[in-house]
Amino acid sequence: MLKKRTAVFLVIAALLCGGLLTMALTQLPAPSQTGDGEGLLASIANKNGLEQSEAKKLGTAIDLIESNYYKDIDRSKLIDGAINGMMEALEDPYSNYMGKETAAQFEESIEGSFTGIGAEVSSVDGNVIVVSPIKGSPADKAGIRAKDAILSVNGESLQGLELNAAVNKIRGPKGSKAILQIKRAGSEQPIEYVIVRDDVDLETVSARMEKGGIGVIEISQFSLNTGKRFEEELKKLEGQGMKGLLIDVRNNPGGVLSVVIDIAEQFVPKGELIVQVEDKDKKREKHPSNGEAKSYPITVLMNKGSASASEILAGALQQSAGATLMGEHSFGKGTVQTSFDKQLGDGSLLKVTIAKWLTPNGTWIHEKGIEPDIKVSQPDYFTVAPIDKKKTYAYDANSTDVKNAQIMLEAVGYKTGRSDGYFDRNTEKAVKSFQSKNKLKADGIINTATAEALEAALIEKIQDPKEDNQMNRGIAEVRKEIATKASNK
């Protein structure tokens, strides 16, 4: 079995930010200290904790350490370590223990206020793995991608570190730089990203009206304030005569279960299922809608970074509201977490997987994801790796970095005629043309200044809405469905 040790952290970062925050991809509101509640939460009850023999064993271990260890020890660290060990024994990437400081940041994340690097990370076999960069975040803009492995931060290796410790290294004061070494599938050498930490106040919902009455609502995360914001923006668009809706949940790592249910209910007809939640006893709690269907067509845009609550929304709207799913295969997280804090009594928090969720038709998408109805990818240059700026590249060179430079040059309008990594005369000519245009020494050699200018030009192109192939195809699909609906009247 693949051993995974994860506490899921939303490390919002940056060309913008700094700090860390923990965020459950899909979670229920924390149960009360007595375990009271309705439905699934009602089954979460306090037990007596340790048996006498178990308590004696742990107590004896602590006494032996305190009495015999060759240095003074911090007793609280032993207790935290024991709890972390229990969570690790679960081999569940979404159950974890948080100390007081981390727990406070976790609560902030649920409320929609973040600091960090803009990517949700987990730990798999001792490696820090990106689950998803938050759309529009500094990490996203810098080029961090889902499934990237973060090898080191500012020269300090993260290999083998407990996730809390690894995330603390990613954090730092506002304005400081986080130099990340990234291992990406398909890249021979680690990729370096320089990200400036900063404070970030994340708006989870944004909306606009495109030509032809096509509304677009982007959801970056399902925080506690997201449901209300979504309802507000939807009403505005409908008030403006919206004829069709595109919901964008790309790179949305999830959030609060009750929030995504509230949003889905605005589209799913009364009585139709939104999601099913199954506990360890195979007892299913079904969540039927109390809402009503919309008269206009709906398309949901998703990608590999769309996880958990995003997948709940996609599955519900596809299976119960007739929506079209477009984009890429989703991440595949099908479990539900809840957090326990009052029971611990010191500000720390335990986040535990308590159930799995199923789509309306009973499918468990965990580690499989959801396939879109219409597959649409972004151009190759959207995921090209940065150039290693410790080296220079000139005629007759042959490397992955040259290949990446060729992809970038082609993307920003300088024809090389190839993207195989061989630095030929056409590549040299393209580099010289780029350098002249950007007031650099036109010697045809890719040095640090040229590489930085080339990457900046590429980022500007990627951020241009006209280059968003998935968004443009999504709008076109909604426009097509509006026309089909009109012709059938």
Side-chain angles (χ1 to χ4, degrees):
M1 176 184 293
L2 177 66
K3 183 177 180 183
K4 296 180 179 180
R5 171 71 181 106
T6 309
V8 186
F9 288 93
L10 195 59
V11 186
I12 290 199
L15 290 172
L16 284 174
C17 20
L20 121 91
L21 65 83
T22 344
M23 176 67 187
L25 288 184
T26 300
Q27 64 192 38
L28 293 172
S32 66
Q33 192 163 355
T34 60
D36 296 336
E38 297 180 356
L40 186 64
L41 289 181
S43 67
I44 302 175
N46 288 333
K47 297 184 178 180
N48 295 325
L50 294 173
E51 300 290 343
Q52 185 173 357
S53 60
E54 295 169 334
K56 181 179 178 182
K57 183 176 181 179
L58 287 177
T60 299
I62 292 175
D63 287 342
L64 288 172
I65 293 169
E66 286 187 314
S67 300
N68 296 284
Y69 191 62
Y70 80 106
K71 293 193 297 185
D72 291 337
I73 58 98
D74 183 336
R75 189 180 179 91
S76 65
K77 287 186 177 180
L78 292 182
I79 300 300
D80 285 351
I83 299 174
N84 274 320
M86 284 188 273
M87 303 312 292
E88 184 173 350
L90 295 177
E91 296 187 348
D92 173 22
Y94 304 109
S95 294
N96 67 288
Y97 170 72
M98 303 174 209
K100 183 176 180 179
E101 181 180 350
T102 304
Q105 292 160 347
F106 171 77
E107 296 297 339
E108 289 176 2
S109 76
I110 298 176
E111 295 170 4
S113 174
F114 312 107
T115 56
I117 72 163
E120 180 150 3
V121 301
S122 65
S123 178
V124 180
D125 292 335
N127 297 306
V128 178
I129 305 297
V130 175
V131 173
S132 175
I134 301 299
K135 184 178 179 182
S137 70
D140 183 38
K141 293 175 181 177
I144 302 297
R145 299 288 176 253
K147 309 296 185 182
D148 281 351
I150 304 177
L151 303 179
S152 67
V153 180
N154 294 337
E156 296 187 60
S157 174
L158 303 186
Q159 179 68 35
L161 291 182
E162 192 275 329
L163 193 58
N164 284 346
V167 171
N168 282 336
K169 290 186 179 298
I170 298 173
R171 296 178 60 201
K174 178 178 178 178
S176 63
K177 292 182 179 180
I179 302 174
L180 305 185
Q181 289 290 328
I182 297 291
K183 176 62 177 174
R184 178 175 296 163
S187 295
E188 298 175 5
Q189 300 296 326
I191 305 164
E192 181 175 285
Y193 288 92
V194 179
I195 300 177
V196 179
R197 303 180 178 105
D198 198 354
D199 298 326
V200 171
D201 183 17
L202 185 63
E203 170 60 75
T204 61
V205 178
S206 62
R208 67 182 186 275
M209 185 74 84
E210 293 286 337
K211 292 180 180 179
I214 299 170
V216 177
I217 300 182
E218 300 178 10
I219 310 173
S220 61
Q221 179 175 314
F222 294 92
S223 299
L224 290 178
N225 65 344
T226 304
K228 181 179 179 182
R229 288 285 299 114
F230 184 91
E231 184 178 7
E232 291 172 350
E233 295 298 338
L234 181 63
K235 286 182 177 178
K236 287 180 183 178
L237 291 173
E238 290 177 336
Q240 295 169 25
M242 182 174 67
K243 298 177 181 178
L245 176 63
L246 180 66
I247 301 175
D248 184 0
V249 292
R250 292 175 297 171
N251 289 335
N252 180 327
V256 182
L257 179 61
S258 59
V259 171
V260 70
I261 290 175
D262 288 343
I263 290 175
E265 200 164 40
Q266 298 175 60
F267 305 100
V268 176
K270 184 177 179 63
E272 295 293 324
L273 287 182
I274 294 173
V275 66
Q276 305 180 64
V277 181
E278 182 177 287
D279 65 16
K280 65 180 179 181
D281 297 321
K282 307 299 182 183
K283 178 183 176 183
R284 289 192 187 181
E285 181 177 345
K286 298 183 178 182
H287 293 268
S289 175
N290 288 314
E292 58 183 53
K294 299 294 186 180
S295 60
Y296 47 76
I298 301 165
T299 293
V300 179
L301 202 56
M302 62 185 193
N303 65 6
K304 297 171 186 176
S306 302
S308 200
S310 295
E311 294 170 298
I312 290 177
L313 183 65
L317 297 193
Q318 180 195 48
Q319 296 177 14
S320 295
T324 299
L325 304 187
M326 177 177 281
E328 300 168 335
H329 190 87
S330 65
F331 182 82
K333 179 186 178 288
T335 55
V336 180
Q337 287 70 45
T338 194
S339 56
F340 300 85
D341 55 356
K342 296 184 178 65
Q343 293 90 334
L344 301 180
D346 63 352
S348 60
L349 180 149
L350 207 64
K351 180 161 66 67
V352 181
T353 297
I354 60 170
K356 61 184 183 182
W357 66 264
L358 312 171
T359 63
N361 68 9
T363 300
W364 192 35
I365 60 91
H366 196 59
E367 297 184 349
K368 294 180 289 187
I370 299 176
E371 285 289 341
D373 298 307
I374 303 174
K375 292 184 179 180
V376 181
S377 299
Q378 298 286 43
D380 290 343
Y381 59 79
F382 267 64
T383 55
V384 66
I387 300 166
D388 185 351
K389 300 171 189 63
K390 296 183 178 70
K391 303 176 182 178
T392 59
Y393 311 89
Y395 173 69
D396 207 32
N398 195 344
S399 70
T400 300
D401 284 297
V402 173
K403 177 181 179 179
N404 293 336
Q406 289 169 333
I407 293 173
M408 293 181 191
L409 285 164
E410 288 279 347
V412 298
Y414 298 86
K415 302 300 181 183
T416 63
R418 66 195 305 159
S419 59
D420 58 1
Y422 177 64
F423 203 126
D424 64 356
R425 291 302 183 189
N426 284 336
T427 301
E428 183 180 59
K429 181 179 178 181
V431 172
K432 287 181 178 180
S433 296
F434 176 81
Q435 290 171 328
S436 295
K437 180 70 173 180
N438 288 272
K439 299 179 180 180
L440 299 168
K441 181 181 179 182
D443 55 7
I445 299 172
I446 301 176
N447 56 15
T448 299
T450 298
E452 289 178 347
L454 188 53
E455 290 173 4
L458 181 67
I459 290 172
E460 184 177 353
K461 182 179 180 67
I462 290 173
Q463 291 175 346
D464 184 348
K466 292 184 295 185
E467 301 299 322
D468 191 340
N469 187 41
Q470 291 174 335
M471 175 62 71
N472 295 334
R473 286 285 302 277
I475 292 172
E477 176 63 23
V478 177
R479 185 173 289 117
K480 175 183 173 183
E481 292 184 21
I482 291 172
T484 300
K485 185 179 180 66
S487 66
N488 291 333
K489 286 186 177 179

